Every structure is written in C-alpha cells, then in structure tokens.
Amino acid sequence: MDREPYESLVKAVLAWTGEDPLTTRDYEQIALQLTGHARAAASDVRRRAAQLPKDSGPKALAEVVLREAEGRLSATLEGTVHCVQNRARLVRALYERLDRLATALVTGTV
C-alpha cells in the first residue's frame, strides 16, 4: 500500500479551515478516496494484529481501533468538510496503529 499520497491528502484535509472553496461533489470524491483507503488500512491492521498473541496489549488496542473504524466507516458519507476531515482522522489513526503493530512485531513487544 502506497501511503505517501494518502498521508499528504490527510495532512492537507486536516489543515482546512472551513473556507475551502470546494464543491459538495469534490468533498464526496475525497471522502470516497479516504474511505477506500481506510478500509485497506484497516485490513492491514487486522492482518498484523492477527500475528500477535491473543493476550497482547498491542493486539487489544488494535481491536479497539478496528471497532471504532467500523463504526466510522458505516456512517453515511456527506459532501462536507466535517465528513472528509473525520475520514482523514480515521486514516491517520489506522496508520498510527499499523506502525505500532509493526514495531511490536519487530521488537517482540507484546
């Protein structure tokens, strides 16, 4: 998964101040892109968490993040700054969890 373009998009979206002159359709398209990527990132989190022992702390935290992601992804998309920024925050949270799981797997910190 190529994260760099999405990390840039997340950073840009979270920097919006509400004065951005995009159309509703533009916001919807960005939200769709972020939603698809969030689903892919969640799948990666799920796969990495499955490699950890059942009673590990990082695995438990990953499961919490995944439950929250499912709830957010089930919300109806809207063509608003608020909706797009929520999707961007979700992608950012999934990346953070993915990085922590990768570290836990490499270092054996479970």
Side-chain angles (χ1 to χ4, degrees):
M1 174 168 65
D2 187 12
R3 285 174 51 163
E4 186 178 335
Y6 288 96
E7 287 174 331
S8 295
L9 179 59
V10 164
K11 185 176 179 179
V13 165
L14 293 177
W16 289 345
T17 61
E19 299 173 10
D20 302 298
L22 298 178
T23 67
T24 299
R25 290 182 61 100
D26 291 335
Y27 291 126
E28 289 170 348
Q29 287 300 309
I30 295 167
L32 283 171
Q33 287 290 321
L34 290 171
T35 297
H37 196 68
R39 290 185 193 285
S43 179
D44 285 349
V45 169
R46 195 172 289 108
R47 188 172 32 259
R48 287 210 181 153
Q51 297 173 5
L52 294 171
K54 188 175 183 177
D55 61 345
S56 76
K59 182 173 186 157
L61 290 172
E63 290 171 356
V64 169
V65 170
L66 288 169
R67 278 193 302 275
E68 183 176 331
E70 287 175 19
R72 287 182 175 186
L73 289 170
S74 68
T76 304
L77 286 179
E78 299 173 9
T80 65
V81 171
H82 179 73
C83 177
V84 174
Q85 286 181 328
N86 280 340
R87 297 296 162 126
R89 286 184 195 95
L90 175 59
V91 169
R92 183 178 61 188
L94 289 166
Y95 281 160
E96 288 170 359
R97 183 54 37 205
L98 195 57
D99 291 344
R100 287 188 177 111
L101 286 170
T103 300
L105 286 167
V106 168
T107 63
T109 308
V110 294

